[in-house]
Amino acid sequence: LLIFLGRNMKNGRLSLTRRINESITLTVPQEGHKEDLTIVVSLAKINGTQATIAFEAPKEVNIVRNELLEKNY
């Protein structure tokens, strides 16, 4: 199942609005595997200008903040 929200696309980037405890699920087909790779991203809380984002992913998935990637992750 592919859901494409074209009206939210800008410069190849999909922008979605989420409320607290709402999630987005990313599903990536894995060649040679029976099951797709699934990652769930949820908005856990908002505190002023900061948001806490929760990730559910298989242990082999690396989740790294961009600022750490910029510092030679």
Side-chain angles (χ1 to χ4, degrees):
L1 174 65
L2 173 65
I3 299 173
F4 178 74
L5 304 173
R7 62 185 166 81
N8 292 328
M9 291 291 291
K10 184 175 182 180
N11 298 327
R13 182 178 290 185
L14 175 64
S15 297
L16 299 173
T17 302
R18 300 285 73 203
R19 291 187 173 96
I20 294 175
N21 295 322
E22 290 184 336
S23 302
I24 298 166
T25 299
L26 308 170
T27 304
V28 182
Q30 297 296 291
E31 191 172 318
H33 292 83
K34 291 182 181 179
E35 294 186 19
D36 294 340
L37 174 67
T38 301
I39 301 169
V40 178
V41 182
S42 304
L43 179 58
K45 73 177 183 179
I46 300 172
N47 185 11
T49 60
Q50 292 186 321
T52 300
I53 302 169
F55 297 89
E56 295 176 43
K59 62 183 176 183
E60 62 269 12
V61 173
N62 292 326
I63 301 172
V64 182
R65 298 185 326 232
N66 284 351
E67 62 270 19
L68 296 179
L69 288 174
E70 294 166 2
K71 293 181 179 181
N72 299 321
Y73 168 79

